[in-house]
Amino acid sequence: MEIIGYLASILIGISLGLIGGGGSILTVPILVYLFGLEAQHATSYSLFIVGITAMTGAYRHYKLGNLEIKSGLAFALPSVLSLLLVRKILLPALPDVLCTVGSTNVTKNALIMVVFALLMLAASIAMIRPSAEPTQNNNPQYKSLAIMGFLIGLIIGFLGAGGGFLIIPALLFFARIPMKQAVGTSLLIISINSAIGFVGDALGGAPINYTLLLSISGIAIVGMFIGTQLSKKINGAQLKPAFGWFVL
C-alpha cells in the first residue's frame, strides 16, 4: 500500500502544477488510506506537503509575472488567523469520541474524513460544471476578499487542505483577476497558510515522521514539475472536468 501511496503522491504535484489546485484533496486520503496515518495527524502532514509543493509552483508563477501580491495578502492574512484559531483552539478542544449513535462511536477522526468527503464532493462538482471567467476590473473588493479568506481559513485549518478550489473562485469573483494570475496567487496563499499551519503544529508537539514527510514531499514536487511542463501543452480548462470526475 505504501508503494501505491508513493506513486499516488505524484498526482498531488501534477494536479497543482496543471490547474493550481486539487493537491490537497488528494493528500489527506492518500495519507490516511495508503500510509495508515490517523486523520488528525494526516492534516498536519498535508499542510507541509501541499505547502512546499505550492511554494515551488508559486515561485514559477512569480517568474512568469502571474502573482497578484496585494490581493494574495488581503486573502492570506485573515485566513492565517482563522487557520491558527482552528488548529490551536478548536481541534485540540474536540474530544476523541464526539458522541455515540446506537452502539457506534462517532470519533473526531471520522468527522474529519466525513467533512473532507463533502469538500471533495463540492470540489468535484465545481470542476465538472462549466463556468465562465468573470470580467476583469481594476477595483478588487478587498473587504469581501478578506472575509472569504477568514471563512476558507477555517476549512483549511480543520482539514489540512490547501483550499485551491475554494481560493481560486474567490480571487476570480472578488479580486477580479485573470485565471492565470488567480492560479499563481492561489499557490502563494496556499503556501503561506500551509507553512504557518504546519509550523504551529510542529511547535505544538505533533508527532511527525520527517523521513516519510520529506519523501512524499519530494515526490509531490517532482509531480509539480511534471504538471507545469504538461500545462504548456494541455489546456487546464479542458482538464478540469476530467479531474473533477476523478475526484468524484
Side-chain angles (χ1 to χ4, degrees), residues 52-77:
I52 196 169
T53 307
M55 192 178 298
T56 305
Y59 178 73
R60 170 186 175 273
H61 280 279
Y62 170 75
K63 300 293 285 186
L64 295 174
N66 288 340
L67 288 188
E68 291 286 342
I69 303 296
K70 189 178 291 186
S71 295
L73 291 178
F75 189 101
L77 294 178

Side-chain angles (χ1 to χ4, degrees), residues 145-229:
L145 201 58
I147 294 172
M148 289 300 298
F150 184 86
L151 295 175
I152 292 174
L154 298 174
I155 299 173
I156 295 171
F158 187 70
L159 299 177
F165 286 109
L166 301 172
I167 295 171
I168 288 177
L171 293 173
L172 289 173
F173 286 98
F174 295 107
R176 299 284 184 178
I177 59 179
M179 185 64 185
K180 282 188 177 180
Q181 280 73 27
V183 170
T185 307
S186 171
L187 291 174
L188 174 65
I189 295 168
I190 290 170
S191 63
I192 293 172
N193 285 342
S194 299
I196 292 176
F198 175 78
V199 169
D201 285 2
L203 293 177
I208 297 169
N209 181 340
Y210 284 98
T211 301
L212 175 65
L213 188 62
L214 293 175
S215 299
I216 297 173
S217 299
I219 294 171
I221 289 172
V222 170
M224 166 65 80
F225 284 115
I226 295 172
T228 52
Q229 289 301 313

Side-chain angles (χ1 to χ4, degrees), residues 77-149:
L77 294 178
S79 66
V80 164
L81 174 62
S82 58
L83 180 152
L84 290 176
L85 286 174
V86 170
R87 298 200 70 81
K88 304 305 289 183
I89 298 175
L90 177 60
L91 274 180
L94 290 176
D96 290 334
V97 178
L98 300 174
C99 63
T100 301
V101 180
S103 59
T104 303
N105 290 330
V106 179
T107 66
K108 177 165 58 175
N109 286 330
L111 175 65
I112 290 173
M113 296 311 295
V114 168
V115 175
F116 210 97
L118 294 175
L119 175 65
M120 293 182 76
L121 180 63
S124 65
I125 292 172
M127 286 183 282
I128 292 168
R129 292 177 61 183
S131 59
E133 183 176 334
T135 55
Q136 182 182 0
N137 66 28
N138 296 319
N139 298 302
Q141 302 173 40
Y142 292 120
K143 182 178 179 180
S144 298
L145 201 58
I147 294 172
M148 289 300 298

